[in-house]
Structures are given as C-alpha cells and as structure tokens.
Amino acid sequence: MDIQHCTELNEIMQMLPPPPGSFIDREELIQHVGDFALSQGYVVTIKQSKKDKVVVLGCDRGGVYRNRCKLVDESSADHARKRKTGSRLTNCPFEVVGKKEDGLWVLTIKNGKHNHEPISDISEHPSSRRFTEREVLLIKDMTEAGLKPRQILKRLRQNNPELLSTPKHVYNVKAKLRQGNLTGIGMVMKVNYKSCVREQSKSFLRNFKSLRVKSSVENSHFSTANEPSWRLRNPPRVPNLIGGRFVDSQSFASIDVTDPATQKVVSQVPLTTNEEFRAAIFAAKRAFPSWRDTPVTTRQRIMFKLQELIRRDIDKIAANITTEHGKTLKDAYADVNRGLEVVEHACGMATLQMGEFVSNVSNGIDTYSIREPLGVCAGICPFNFPAMIPLWMFPIAVTCGNTFILKPSEKDPGATMMLTELAMEAGLPNGVLNIVHGTFDIINAICDDDDIKAVSFVGSNTDGMYIYARASAKGKRVQSNIGAKNHAIVMPDASMDATLNAVVSAGFGAAGQRCMALSTVIFVGGSKSWEDKLVERAKALKVNAGIEPDADLGPVISKQVKERICRLIQAGVESGARLLLDGRNIEVPGYEHGNFIGPTILSDMTTNMLCYKEEIFGPVLLCMQADNLQEAISIVNKNKYGIGASIFTTSGVAARKFQTEIEAGEVGINIPVPDPLPFFSFTGSKASFAGDLHLFEKGWSLFLYPNQNSDATMERFAK
C-alpha cells in the first residue's frame, strides 16, 4: 500500500497542470498553457475549439497512435494486422478547458493527470519541427522563386540554426500552399496562434495543432500586439513567475500598491495560491539538475548580460522605485547601483566556489573539498530596498548553481519584477528563478516546504526571528538579517562641518528607512555646542515627493508607518526628551495626502525610553550625552542591536579603542554608514542577525555550498 501510494505521488509530481487563471483572449490562454507544459516536460495540442466560446487542450505525446487495427482475410497472403491511417490521438487523459465568460477567457483543469513519463528531450518532439509564421512566408516566397526544399531549408537554418525541420516538412508546407490553405495568411504553428481567429486558417490548424517549443529567451518577451492580461488591467496586476512564464494568479485576493506621495493605486499584488506556490517549487526543483550541471562560466555570462541590461534600464527601474516606495530619484539610483555591485560580484563566481586540496595527507591519500549547490533556495525581501535586496539574493544563489524562489515585498514589487524580466532576457533558463507573492501564508509555505533547502530574509526583528525559528525547525539553512539601532559617537575633537554633514545625511537620508540609517548620536562631553548647527542643517533639507528634482527626502512607505513613527516621537517627548525639531506636521504643497514626515531631532535621550529601545525606521535622530569615550562605548554595547556603529574623531588612539571594544558588525571611523562592498561580508551581530552565515563573499557562498570532503587514494608504482 505504501509503495503504491508513493508511486502515485511521484506520478502526480512529475508533470503539474498549468495554474488556472483569467486571460484577455484565447491566444493568451493557449500560450500560457503551452509554455507551462513545456516547463513540465509535456506538449499540449488543441483537441476541440469553438471560436469565441471554448477551447479544449490535451496532451500530445508526440505521435502516439491508438491501437486501432482492422482484420484482413486470414486466407490471404497479407495476413498481418494493419493499422488504420489517420488515427493520430493523444492517448493521455490530461485535459484543460478554456471558456469565455464575461469577456475574459477562464482556464479550468478538467483532468490534470498524465499516464506517461515526462518527455526527456522536448526538442525531439514533433512539435519542435513546426515553422514560425515568418518562416512559412519565407517558404512561400522562396518556392515562388524556384528554390528546392533542401535549398529553402539551408537558408532558413542560416537565421535559425536550431531549426529541426527536415525537407519532408518543407514539402508538406508547399503542399498546403498549393491547396491554397495558406494563401494570404501569415499563419504558423506557434504558441501564440495570433492568426487562428481567421477562418481561412482552420484547416491548417487541424493539421498542425501542437504548440511549438520556444526557448527561454523567446518566452520572456511580450509582444505589443498580444500583451498579457496582467499588463492590460487597470491598475495592472503583478504576475507570478512560474517555470519561465509570467502568469496571472488565480487568487481573488490582492493588495493595493500605492504611491506614498499621492495615495494613487499603482498596481495590485495577488496573494499567490498554494497550488501556484507548489507549481513554482516544482518548476525550480525540475530545473535544478540541468542548471547545476551548467558550467559556471556559462552561468557567469548570464550575470554579465544581466548587469548590462540593468544599466540599460536603470532609469525605468529607479522611476518605479520612486513611484512605489517614495524615496528620491537619487536614492533610487543608489538602490539599483548597490544591487548592481552584487551582480558584478557574481560574475566572478568561479573563484568563489573553489575548494581546497592537500596532497598526501596520509600515505598515498589526497584530500580535497568541493562546494556544491544546495538545490531550491528562497529569499524574502523587505520594502525599503526594492532593487538592492533582491539583487543581494538571487544573482549569487543562481550563479552558484541553485534555483530560486523569490518573494518580493507586497508594498513595492515593481522593481523586482523588472529585474526578473531582465534576468529572463539575459538568458536565465525556465524554472531557475520563480516569483511568488503574498504575506504570512506564503512566508509560512516557504518556511515549511521540504524542497526548499535555504532561506534568506531581510526585514524587521519580529518577522526575522519568526522566520528563523520556523524555517530552522524544518532543518533549513536560514540567514535572517533583522533589526538595527545604529549609533555614532562624536568626540569633542571631531571636525564639526564634516561630522554634521555626515550625521544629517546618514540620519535623514531615504527618510530613515534603511537598516544602516544612523539613529542615535552620542556626544562625548555634551551636545549643547552641536545642537543649533545640527538643527540648522536638518531644516535645510527639502521634503518633497521623490520625483521632484529638489527633494532631499520623500515620504515614508505607508500611513500606518507614519502613524507608528509619530507615536514613538510622542512617547519620547512624554518620557522627558527635548524636541529640538518636529517634522510630524509638515505639509508638502501639491502632495497634501502624502505620508510625509520631516527631519525630527530629540535630545536628552536615555536608554530606558521606548523610542530608544525600538527601531524607529523613520527620519528621527536621537541625541544622547556621555562624559567620556568609555561610557559612550558602554551605551552602544548595551543596546540589543548590533549592525553598525561609527566614531567621529581626529584621535588615532580613540579610533583604535573604539574599533577594538565596540560590539557591532560594521564599524566606521569618520564614516557614518559603514556599508561593505560585496567582496566583504555584511555582518550584523547580536539581535540584528539570526543564523550562521552572512551575506556576500565567502559567507554567502558557504550558505549555498556545503563543503564536501573526499579522500582519493593515489596508487604509486615502482619504476
């Protein structure tokens, strides 16, 4: 019973049906089913079609004939049983139905099971021998010019070296041309079937129904003549990416993505269904063996192409970040460029995955270690860096040879989707990168799924600890980069102008919505001499919508976040802090409904105040005082967080003492935001990190590659 049950499960998991959904037209539905089928190892064909009403798609096993035989006279010499001609059938119970309802084509699964194994080499299926529309027209022109089928085929292969068609297929097309079935019709067996609405093409469709195999690069583009339904909605609905195909979710639940400066709805994010999540996992799992075996130099070339494409489209990506997140265009460009540094780092993955070797560790034995990809990995992203943090995750992961499930923030997913399209355009194979959307349910699914081997998370402390506990309980490798409370110690000998510029930039830049934002300044010897000039510099900052060229800081991400920041400011005032600068009631002309908070400065802070204990994540700077450097270091070290800490001083002795004794992952000397480049590890500590392996360089590489030690016996022969 158990063996039979396991066998049934394996059969079901081998080839999943396409995710159901709604589509603008019949052609898009057919393309969706066809592309998804190819990623699962089967090919679909049109079994039944009624124009503008219904289309039934089945599984084409590649020319399998039903065993329909007719008997002949046994006394005759021809005693063999003969197969009846014209009996090409699918012999597979798989069937999906598309029906037109209320102006949309709705896809439903009638029977999602197959009775055969996946096609091992999809290129050998007869459907791969179909000609494109352009190729059919070229055949027509070359035939009229007097070229022979072999000459025609030779010329076609000059433009398409992967063309598998034979002269026999050219003869068949020529026969259809002579019959007049293709006259004036640019029609061909292609996945999108753009011309199948024409009545003249019906006979051709009946003879060439199988969907043509397309490459991953071909699949990743969308023609303007046949835009997918998620692009045509108003507002547009963000799609999932499953098996190399951008598909509209079947889920009826969605979350509005709003412009924080205007409250205008920019797009809608669906809550990915469990079936769609499982389809994404299966696509990643299926793609892993071949991607793992792809040479690392080939994987690197895709990253080279990706960084080129990101530079090409950086203006569009930055504009989207500003629209969905609210940060200024300057900060948006920095967001993309910091992520781009990681893509560039991934281009050198061959050196990062080098193992170790020691010869003759024992008599006649050499030992070496290698690093191998884990399999399916996942990343969960926050809202504050819509481009940088996804680029922290999937480029390194996939270049190491893993496949990846990425969940962007539901608050600003647009930049991630743009980067995903660029990754597909760069040549990333189907299934290597998959995108799902949602909140708690999808996060729980990522933590619980046995096929996911590692999870990387960046976000809040509460969410990060929950993800770390739940995912690690399932035996996964987990990397959870979480809360922060970054401090700067200002010594009396610090350069005033340089220090003030650094503190204001680090404290209020990006509206304080970054994990490395400077939250607290400790003035050694007192803050009175610094306060007036600090307030003056902060007041000079221009608060405006991010798209405005004069903006120094934009709105925070949502009204709920603004309300939380205001509550923490008020809690500090009620606890005895002095409010040197209040930005809570700022008004921005033309953007009266925006989530704006101006620079805010609280002084005379103590460590027991709520706004000091909590991560504010807004444009709020807290000022404290200490009698000496040792007391200041003690204040920093007692805080539960430990990502970054800085000191501003002209004393080498003070700088050395600070560097040695401070308990923080990133340490800056006269640098307010000590962010490392990708070839150094990003190392939070204490309550700012949960896990064993950090981002970037060897830490990230080890997160994805378990060391494997092997012993090799070397035979020695006497001369």
Side-chain angles (χ1 to χ4, degrees), residues 69-83:
C69 303
K70 60 180 180 179
L71 296 175
V72 299
D73 187 0
E74 295 183 1
S75 61
S76 66
D78 190 5
H79 180 63
R81 296 167 64 89
K82 292 185 177 179
R83 186 181 304 276

Coordinates of all heavy atoms in Angstrom, one line a residue, residues 69-83:
C69 N -6.9 -1.3 -35.2 CA -6.4 -2.2 -36.2 C -7.7 -2.8 -36.9 O -8.7 -2.9 -36.3 CB -5.5 -3.3 -35.7 SG -4.1 -2.7 -34.8
K70 N -7.5 -3.2 -38.2 CA -8.6 -3.8 -38.9 C -8.1 -5.2 -39.3 O -6.9 -5.4 -39.7 CB -9.0 -3.0 -40.1 CG -7.9 -2.7 -41.1 CD -8.4 -1.9 -42.2 CE -7.4 -1.6 -43.3 NZ -7.9 -0.8 -44.4
L71 N -9.0 -6.2 -39.3 CA -8.7 -7.5 -39.7 C -8.7 -7.7 -41.2 O -9.5 -7.0 -41.9 CB -9.6 -8.5 -39.0 CG -9.5 -8.5 -37.5 CD1 -10.6 -9.5 -36.9 CD2 -8.1 -9.0 -37.0
V72 N -7.9 -8.5 -41.7 CA -8.0 -8.9 -43.2 C -8.2 -10.4 -43.3 O -8.2 -11.1 -42.3 CB -6.6 -8.5 -43.9 CG1 -6.4 -7.0 -43.8 CG2 -5.4 -9.2 -43.2
D73 N -8.5 -10.8 -44.5 CA -8.8 -12.2 -44.7 C -7.6 -13.1 -44.3 O -6.5 -12.9 -44.8 CB -9.2 -12.4 -46.2 CG -9.7 -13.9 -46.4 OD1 -9.7 -14.6 -45.5 OD2 -10.0 -14.1 -47.6
E74 N -7.8 -14.0 -43.4 CA -6.7 -14.8 -42.9 C -6.2 -15.7 -44.0 O -5.1 -16.2 -43.9 CB -7.2 -15.7 -41.7 CG -7.6 -14.8 -40.5 CD -7.9 -15.7 -39.3 OE1 -7.9 -16.9 -39.4 OE2 -8.3 -15.1 -38.2
S75 N -7.0 -16.1 -45.0 CA -6.5 -16.9 -46.0 C -5.7 -16.2 -47.0 O -5.0 -16.8 -47.9 CB -7.7 -17.6 -46.8 OG -8.5 -16.5 -47.4
S76 N -5.7 -14.9 -47.0 CA -4.9 -14.1 -48.0 C -3.4 -14.1 -47.6 O -3.1 -14.4 -46.4 CB -5.4 -12.7 -48.0 OG -5.2 -12.1 -46.8
A77 N -2.6 -13.7 -48.5 CA -1.2 -13.7 -48.2 C -0.9 -12.6 -47.2 O 0.1 -12.7 -46.4 CB -0.4 -13.5 -49.5
D78 N -1.7 -11.5 -47.3 CA -1.4 -10.4 -46.4 C -2.2 -10.7 -45.1 O -3.3 -10.2 -44.9 CB -1.9 -9.1 -47.1 CG -1.4 -7.9 -46.2 OD1 -0.7 -8.1 -45.2 OD2 -1.8 -6.8 -46.6
H79 N -1.6 -11.5 -44.2 CA -2.3 -11.9 -43.0 C -2.1 -11.0 -41.8 O -2.7 -11.1 -40.8 CB -1.9 -13.3 -42.7 CG -2.5 -13.9 -41.4 ND1 -3.9 -14.1 -41.4 CD2 -2.0 -14.3 -40.2 CE1 -4.2 -14.6 -40.2 NE2 -3.1 -14.7 -39.5
A80 N -1.2 -10.0 -42.0 CA -0.8 -9.1 -40.9 C -2.0 -8.2 -40.5 O -2.8 -7.8 -41.3 CB 0.4 -8.3 -41.2
R81 N -2.0 -7.8 -39.2 CA -3.0 -6.8 -38.8 C -2.5 -5.4 -39.2 O -1.3 -5.1 -38.8 CB -3.2 -6.9 -37.3 CG -3.8 -8.2 -36.8 CD -3.6 -8.4 -35.3 NE -4.4 -7.4 -34.6 CZ -5.7 -7.5 -34.3 NH1 -6.3 -8.6 -34.6 NH2 -6.3 -6.6 -33.6
K82 N -3.3 -4.7 -39.9 CA -2.8 -3.4 -40.4 C -3.5 -2.3 -39.5 O -4.6 -2.3 -39.2 CB -3.2 -3.2 -41.8 CG -2.4 -4.2 -42.7 CD -2.7 -3.9 -44.2 CE -1.9 -4.7 -45.1 NZ -2.2 -4.5 -46.5
R83 N -2.7 -1.2 -39.3 CA -3.2 0.0 -38.6 C -3.9 0.9 -39.5 O -3.5 1.1 -40.7 CB -2.0 0.7 -38.0 CG -2.4 1.9 -37.1 CD -1.2 2.6 -36.6 NE -0.2 1.7 -35.9 CZ -0.4 1.4 -34.7 NH1 -1.4 1.8 -34.0 NH2 0.5 0.6 -34.1

